[in-house]
Amino acid sequence: MPFTGFILELETPLHIGAGRGGMLLRGHGFIPGHVVSYALAAAIGKAGGGQSADFSQALDSVLQHTRCGPLFIRNPKEQQPFTPRRDRITIENRYLTARTQVALDVTTGSAIDRALFEVESIAARTVHGPCRGQPVQLVGGLWHTTPQLAGKSLHDWFSRGLLLGGELKTGLGRGALAKPGWMPNVPHYAQCPDWPVNDHGLRRTQGDLLPGPSLDGTINAPWQPWLGRRFDEKLGYGRRFPGAALVRMDATCLTPGDYLPATGEVGLGCWTCVDAPAD
C-alpha cells in the first residue's frame, strides 16, 4: 500500500478525550489513528447523503482501503514531532489549554448545580515557548489501497477540512490541510528521519521507538487500557465504545519488522506488527 504523509493545521482547539480527573475532562496530546479514520468517514458520509446508511457505508470503505496512523504535534522550530508519553511535559506546557463549561438543565435552560467542568484541549495556537502564537500543526500519514474514495481523491477529502475529536458542538476539533500539507510517497512518517516507511508499514528495528499506542511487539512502557469510539447505526458517532485493548504508549520495539495501524474495531489505529522476520 502506498504511503502518503500529511499535515493538518488546527483552526479551533481540539479535545481528544483521555478520561476524567475530578472536574477536568482530560485530553490526549496527540490524535489517535481511529479519530482520523472516523473523521474521514464522517466527511464522506455527510457528502453522500448524511443518512445512517451513508455513514456506515463510508466507514466500511475507509476501513477497507486505508490505514490511518496517529497524528503528532509538530515542533515548528525543529520540524520534529512530539510523542505523547515521552514529551508529555513539553506538550502540557506549550500546547494544552482548558476552558470552563457548565451542564444545563434541558427543562429550565439554567446551569445545573455543581455541574461545572473543564475541557482540556490542544490549543489552535502555541500557548507558551519560543513559538508562542504560531498555528499548531499535526503531522502523520496513512497507507491506502486506492487514491480515491467515493469518487474523489483522498487529497480532495482532506482539503475540505476534517472534524476531529470531541466537543464538536461547542466549536472544537476543526482542522484543515496545511499549505503545503499533502505529501505522497514520502520516505518518513511524520517527517521524522528516524521513522522510515515503505509500502508495508513503519519500519522498526529492535530498540527503536514506536511512537503512539502499540498493540504488540514492544517493551519498556506500561500497559494501559485503550478505548476508541465507534459509529453506531442508531446512536451515531461517538456514542458507543468498542471493547478495550491494552496498549503501550511510546514503547521500545522488541520485534523488528513493519508496523501498520490495526483495522479491527478493538485497537483500531494502534500499531501492530504485520511483517516480522522468521526465526
Side-chain angles (χ1 to χ4, degrees), residues 210-265:
L210 199 59
S214 57
L215 294 169
D216 50 52
T218 56
I219 56 173
N220 294 339
W223 289 111
Q224 62 184 71
W226 185 259
L227 287 171
R229 291 277 189 172
R230 181 70 176 168
F231 173 73
D232 187 281
E233 292 187 0
K234 294 182 178 179
L235 301 176
Y237 278 99
R239 300 294 183 182
R240 178 169 69 86
F241 286 110
L246 287 176
V247 303
R248 298 186 195 270
M249 192 73 67
D250 292 352
T252 302
C253 178
L254 176 65
T255 305
D258 295 320
Y259 286 77
L260 276 175
T263 57
E265 180 174 332

Side-chain angles (χ1 to χ4, degrees), residues 105-126:
D105 188 308
V106 294
T107 57
T108 65
S110 59
I112 299 175
D113 188 33
R114 298 182 181 179
L116 194 68
F117 61 96
E118 283 188 309
V119 177
E120 187 177 60
S121 309
I122 300 173
R125 291 185 175 271
T126 306

Side-chain angles (χ1 to χ4, degrees), residues 116-223:
L116 194 68
F117 61 96
E118 283 188 309
V119 177
E120 187 177 60
S121 309
I122 300 173
R125 291 185 175 271
T126 306
V127 180
H128 298 292
C131 299
R132 180 180 179 182
Q134 292 188 16
V136 173
Q137 293 186 333
L138 308 167
V139 60
L142 77 161
W143 287 262
H144 47 90
T145 62
T146 174
Q148 292 189 334
L149 288 176
K152 291 184 173 58
S153 70
L154 290 170
H155 177 257
D156 285 343
W157 289 117
F158 276 82
S159 297
R160 293 168 173 235
L162 294 178
L163 298 178
L164 303 159
E167 298 297 317
L168 295 175
K169 63 183 180 296
T170 61
L172 301 189
R174 300 180 185 277
L177 199 63
K179 298 179 181 180
W182 192 252
M183 301 166 289
N185 302 313
V186 289
H188 302 106
Y189 193 85
Q191 295 188 311
C192 181
D194 296 330
W195 301 347
V197 297
N198 54 40
D199 289 350
H200 306 290
L202 173 65
R203 189 66 179 173
R204 299 284 77 191
T205 59
Q206 194 172 70
D208 286 346
L209 169 70
L210 199 59
S214 57
L215 294 169
D216 50 52
T218 56
I219 56 173
N220 294 339
W223 289 111

